[in-house]
Amino acid sequence: MVEPILEIKNLCISFFTRAIEIPAVMDFSCTIMPGEAMGLVGESGCGKSTVALAILRDLARIGRITSGSIRFNGRDMATLDEAELTRIRGSEIAMVYQEPMASLNPTMKIGQQLTEVLFIHEKVSKAEAYARALEMVKAVRLPDPERMMRSYPHQLSGGQQQRIVIAMALLANPKLLILDEPTTALDVTVEAGIVELVKDLGKRFGTSMLFISHNLGLILETCDRVTVMYSGEAVETGPIDEVFGAVRHPYTQGLFRSMPLLGTNRNSSPLVPIPGQLPLPHERPNGCNFGPRCSYFVDGQCNKAVIDMLPAGSATHLSRCLRIEAIDWDAVAKSAVANVPTVIGDNLLEVHSLKKHYQVAASELFGGREARTVKAVEDVSFNAREAETVAIVGESGCGKSTLAKVLLGLELATGGTASFDTTYIQADPIDKRTTKLISSVQMIFQNPFDTLNPSYSVGSQIIRTLERFDIGSTTEERQNMMLELLDLVKLPRAFATRMPRQLSGGQKQRIGVARAFAGRPRMIIADEPMSALDVSVQAAITELLTNLQRNSRTTMLLISHDLSLVRYLSDRVIVMYLGHIVEQGTTDQIFQPPYHPYTEALLAAIPLADTKAKKRKVVLEGEIPSAMSPPPGCPFQTRCHLKSNVSGGLCETVVPPMRVLAEGHAIKCHLPTEVLDAMTPVIS
């Protein structure tokens, strides 16, 4: 009989402060077999990373395993001394963290850091260590491996850094690889490459994996089995097809209903956010931890006693729910009420041939005189109408945020025009703009943590915005407006006196939304407004923005790399690559063939948490070129998988014109019409 690589039984972990014991993980069990990949999913604060650190016995000083056991390769981890633990960490159990630079030394070259792993865990010669490190760099599909070995971490992109960290983790050939949100900070195309890499390396090296993520699509694509955690407990576990194909816990069902899957639509089938908040560890309810947020809760049954994991259709599929048989799991969510589509008005923003170039001295530090031009935004034209949502998508460095800065007045355009409500704004810095214009164009930032002043209460920061925009004539009137804004973003009025540190991430983002709408804006620029939030919180913020926009008829420019969210929220989509718009059209046009080859790759990179969906494989090779030295001809030609269909070297020498394929649908590409017409859907 094959023994498990990892066997966790009834694990309980607490953190001890001077005042109280805080139970972080309770009755958690999990088994990983040799060569198997287990996914661990759940909201922030549910205990996923605590479990991972407990496996390595790397908990903080105040953290302690209070009961249960962790057996790795047949050995009880609790019985190992420090010397044995040091030998196991890195050589038999390796971990890849969310932020690659947390694992890389910025002062050492990549080759030194990789060979150091072998020197520590194995007695090998310098030549053998270098050869094995070089082979692993090739295995993780990095270009020009010898150059990579000579490079410092800062000379690599985020995706390349993460591949090096994975190479470092696999060098000692560990039996178990723990990946803690390894793709959260990466572009969707880079994420797709990392996912393919992890799957391939797992097969090649036979490494067992524990993949921690809040992204259910990634888990479906990479794992054999999945365990769903909520408030310190495993609430559902089983083979990936059984759990995803036949959900048997209300929390797992809530996660799926919170996600913009195929078939969801902001009008006909809107998202259903999970109500309430994750309970604090020392304030958990009696019985089912999910009870206060569950629409199937029965008083006297669900809160009577501690609930164990129960069979949910098969011996391998378990759920911590007493009402498995009583619930109709196929029923449509009751709170999903269809909305009337918003009537879109006239043009509010018109952008024509907009350019933003930066002059950079090649050797400014050493007095060099040769200047180079960074073409951050190049010949961009589009419009946005009243009450319309226009999404701008593309990889990091494509010019999305630079375009937003020009529209906000934080940067001045190099050429072209941008008019807002018939007023040209491309040459007006923000300090020269009128109060009315500033209040009319507002921004919701990506990170809610960095946009609030930690020294002032939430209410005072909203009132300051009202004062800045001359809204309200008295202190009392502004106080009432501030409270009404809290009502608008569905936060209790008592939050007005709270400090930012007392709010969760989702609550802080709601304050950011309230502050953006305080100036009664006509256009909102939302820069990755949901990327730092949990799935269920994302759904709540998404519905909040949808309702606010519907009621105020605000135009929204949505900057995002999450194409599932883009498909759900937007009316039209603009695809940018290396400063150029390479495709634009209605959402339906962008998500159906024909596509620009870059759009095709972006769609293929979407991680789908749907067992019924089929996706064509298109992995984008190579890195996005530098805007300082863009390739000649088509900006995408260095990575295009269809360029062989164009004859005469046209792609390498001539920038393609913008071609109109249908009304409102334009594409910047040399591909012949017959190739475009023969394209098949990426997602079906």
Side-chain angles (χ1 to χ4, degrees):
M1 184 177 175
V2 180
E3 292 290 322
I5 282 292
L6 182 71
E7 188 176 23
I8 303 175
K9 284 188 176 179
N10 308 114
L11 182 68
C12 295
I13 303 170
S14 290
F15 291 94
F16 293 84
T17 67
R18 292 180 180 179
I20 55 172
E21 174 188 350
I22 302 173
V25 175
M26 305 173 299
D27 190 31
F28 178 85
S29 298
C30 171
T31 302
I32 302 177
M33 302 303 290
E36 184 178 57
M38 168 68 81
L40 193 56
V41 301
E43 293 174 282
S44 300
C46 72
K48 305 186 300 293
S49 296
T50 302
V51 169
L53 293 172
I55 293 169
L56 289 163
R57 269 189 51 190
D58 193 24
L59 292 168
R61 289 183 180 180
I62 60 171
R64 192 185 313 159
I65 296 173
T66 55
S67 64
S69 64
I70 301 174
R71 298 187 70 83
F72 170 70
N73 210 20
R75 291 168 292 179
D76 187 344
M77 294 293 285
T79 63
L80 303 182
D81 59 29
E82 279 301 318
E84 290 174 304
L85 282 172
T86 301
R87 186 181 62 78
I88 285 176
R89 291 173 186 151
S91 62
E92 295 189 45
I93 306 176
M95 189 158 178
V96 176
Y97 294 91
Q98 178 176 342
E99 173 49 58
M101 280 308 294
S103 305
L104 296 173
N105 187 330
T107 67
M108 290 173 63
K109 291 181 179 179
I110 296 300
Q112 292 175 283
Q113 300 190 54
L114 289 171
T115 54
E116 187 179 59
V117 173
L118 292 169
F119 293 147
I120 291 172
H121 295 293
E122 299 180 34
K123 303 300 180 186
V124 296
S125 67
K126 189 174 182 180
E128 184 185 347
Y130 182 86
R132 284 175 58 181
L134 185 64
E135 196 61 36
M136 187 58 73
V137 171
K138 293 176 183 175
V140 296
R141 304 176 197 160
L142 281 166
D144 197 354
E146 286 84 0
R147 182 179 63 82
M148 288 289 163
M149 295 281 281
R150 298 191 300 269
S151 300
Y152 287 96
H154 72 268
Q155 295 173 302
L156 276 59
S157 69
Q160 290 173 338
Q161 289 172 356
Q162 195 62 286
R163 285 172 186 257
I164 290 295
V165 171
I166 291 172
M168 194 180 295
L170 290 171
L171 255 181
N173 198 19
K175 293 182 172 66
L176 177 66
L177 179 63
I178 302 172
L179 301 112
D180 190 357
E181 301 277 12
T183 62
T184 300
L186 304 178
D187 281 313
V188 66
T189 50
V190 180
E191 180 181 77
I194 295 292
V195 167
E196 283 297 313
L197 172 69
V198 167
K199 287 163 64 177
D200 179 56
L201 293 175
K203 291 175 184 175
R204 284 176 58 188
F205 294 96
T207 309
S208 301
M209 286 186 278
L210 179 63
F211 200 116
I212 299 171
S213 180
H214 66 268
N215 189 325
L216 297 178
L218 281 183
I219 295 298
L220 177 60
E221 292 187 3
T222 54
C223 298
D224 305 301
R225 292 192 300 124
V226 63
T227 297
V228 182
M229 286 191 76
Y230 178 78
S231 189
E233 295 179 325
V235 295
E236 187 167 7
T237 187
I240 202 90
D241 290 339
E242 290 185 30
V243 175
F244 280 44
V247 169
R248 288 299 179 267
H249 192 278
Y251 175 61
T252 313
Q253 185 185 64
L255 289 179
F256 279 103
R257 287 178 173 176
S258 298
M259 297 173 63
L261 301 172
L262 293 175
T264 54
N265 181 284
R266 61 176 173 167
N267 295 318
S268 59
S269 55
L271 302 181
V272 184
I274 301 173
Q277 300 285 335
L278 188 77
L280 294 172
H282 56 286
E283 295 178 356
R284 292 187 176 106
N286 293 326
C288 176
N289 284 341
F290 189 62
R293 305 175 73 185
C294 182
S295 57
Y296 306 113
F297 178 80
V298 175
D299 191 21
Q301 180 183 4
C302 299
N303 56 356
K304 189 175 182 180
V306 174
I307 300 171
D308 296 321
M309 295 289 275
L310 303 169
S314 73
T316 55
H317 187 183
L318 306 175
S319 172
R320 199 180 294 271
C321 180
L322 295 173
R323 307 198 65 227
I324 295 172
E325 301 300 328
I327 295 171
D328 180 2
W329 297 101
D330 297 322
V332 178
K334 293 178 182 178
S335 55
V337 180
N339 297 306
V340 177
T342 306
V343 177
I344 294 173
D346 297 328
N347 281 348
L348 181 66
L349 175 72
E350 295 185 33
V351 177
H352 182 68
S353 300
L354 193 73
K355 295 179 176 66
K356 176 57 187 176
H357 298 172
Y358 296 95
Q359 296 297 319
V360 180
S363 305
E364 194 171 34
L365 184 63
F366 304 104
R369 294 181 181 179
E370 183 190 346
R372 303 182 73 179
T373 302
V374 177
K375 297 180 179 180
V377 175
E378 185 71 2
D379 196 27
V380 163
S381 299
F382 70 96
N383 59 60
R385 295 172 290 178
E386 182 188 42
E388 183 180 38
T389 299
V390 178
I392 305 174
V393 302
E395 293 170 287
S396 299
C398 73
K400 306 185 302 291
S401 295
T402 302
L403 175 60
K405 288 176 183 176
V406 172
L407 297 178
L408 286 164
L410 302 175
E411 298 280 2
L412 302 184
T414 306
T417 60
S419 66
F420 178 79
D421 196 20
T422 70
T423 301
Y424 287 105
I425 60 173
Q426 75 278 354
D428 290 341
I430 194 164
D431 57 346
K432 302 293 184 185
R433 292 187 177 185
T434 64
T435 300
K436 181 182 177 182
L437 179 57
I438 294 172
S439 65
S440 294
V441 184
Q442 284 291 293
M443 183 136 184
I444 300 171
F445 295 91
Q446 178 174 355
N447 194 339
F449 309 97
D450 295 338
T451 56
L452 296 174
N453 190 321
S455 303
Y456 292 89
S457 69
V458 162
S460 65
Q461 296 190 55
I462 296 175
I463 289 173
R464 174 73 184 92
T465 304
L466 295 171
E467 291 172 346
R468 174 70 180 80
F469 295 140
D470 296 326
I471 298 173
S473 53
T474 65
T475 303
E476 185 179 0
E477 188 178 354
R478 286 174 180 147
Q479 179 75 15
N480 289 332
M481 286 181 176
M482 178 269 293
L483 295 174
E484 287 170 4
L485 282 164
L486 290 179
D487 295 340
L488 201 64
V489 297
K490 295 180 172 56
L491 285 176
R493 291 190 169 195
F495 275 40
T497 57
R498 289 197 181 184
M499 305 300 282
R501 66 176 181 275
Q502 296 173 291
L503 274 57
S504 69
Q507 289 167 344
K508 286 177 183 175
Q509 193 60 291
R510 285 173 185 266
I511 296 299
V513 172
R515 197 167 58 177
F517 276 87
R520 299 168 184 167
R522 298 188 64 195
M523 184 170 78
I524 289 282
I525 300 175
D527 189 358
E528 300 278 10
M530 266 75 83
S531 65
L533 306 175
D534 281 314
V535 172
S536 58
V537 182
Q538 281 183 18
I541 298 295
T542 299
E543 291 310 291
L544 171 65
L545 282 174
T546 301
N547 292 331
L548 287 174
Q549 184 189 28
R550 185 176 285 115
N551 295 331
S552 63
R553 295 190 58 76
T554 306
T555 300
M556 183 158 68
L557 292 187
L558 174 66
I559 297 172
S560 181
H561 68 269
D562 185 346
L563 291 182
S564 296
L565 178 68
V566 165
R567 178 176 51 203
Y568 178 81
L569 265 183
S570 63
D571 300 296
R572 286 192 300 120
V573 180
I574 293 169
V575 182
M576 289 190 70
Y577 184 81
L578 208 60
H580 294 257
I581 290 179
V582 295
E583 186 171 7
Q584 62 176 305
T586 66
T587 305
D588 288 341
Q589 288 170 336
I590 296 296
F591 280 81
Q592 293 295 327
Y595 319 101
H596 188 282
Y598 179 57
T599 308
E600 187 181 36
L602 289 178
L603 294 175
I606 303 174
L608 296 173
D610 190 339
T611 54
K612 298 175 184 176
K614 293 182 180 179
K615 188 170 68 172
R616 187 155 51 84
K617 183 179 177 181
V618 183
V619 177
L620 200 58
E621 298 293 340
E623 300 288 327
I624 187 168
S626 168
M628 193 178 292
S629 54
C634 173
F636 187 60
Q637 54 100 351
T638 58
R639 303 170 77 191
C640 183
H641 58 285
L642 295 176
K643 130 174 127 169
S644 59
N645 292 286
V646 181
S647 59
L650 204 58
C651 295
E652 291 88 347
T653 55
V654 180
V655 177
M658 192 64 90
R659 296 158 57 188
V660 177
L661 301 182
E663 187 178 352
H665 187 195
I667 182 172
K668 185 178 279 192
C669 186
H670 287 304
L671 282 175
T673 303
E674 57 268 22
V675 174
L676 294 173
D677 290 344
M679 280 188 171
T680 57
V682 170
I683 301 168
S684 58

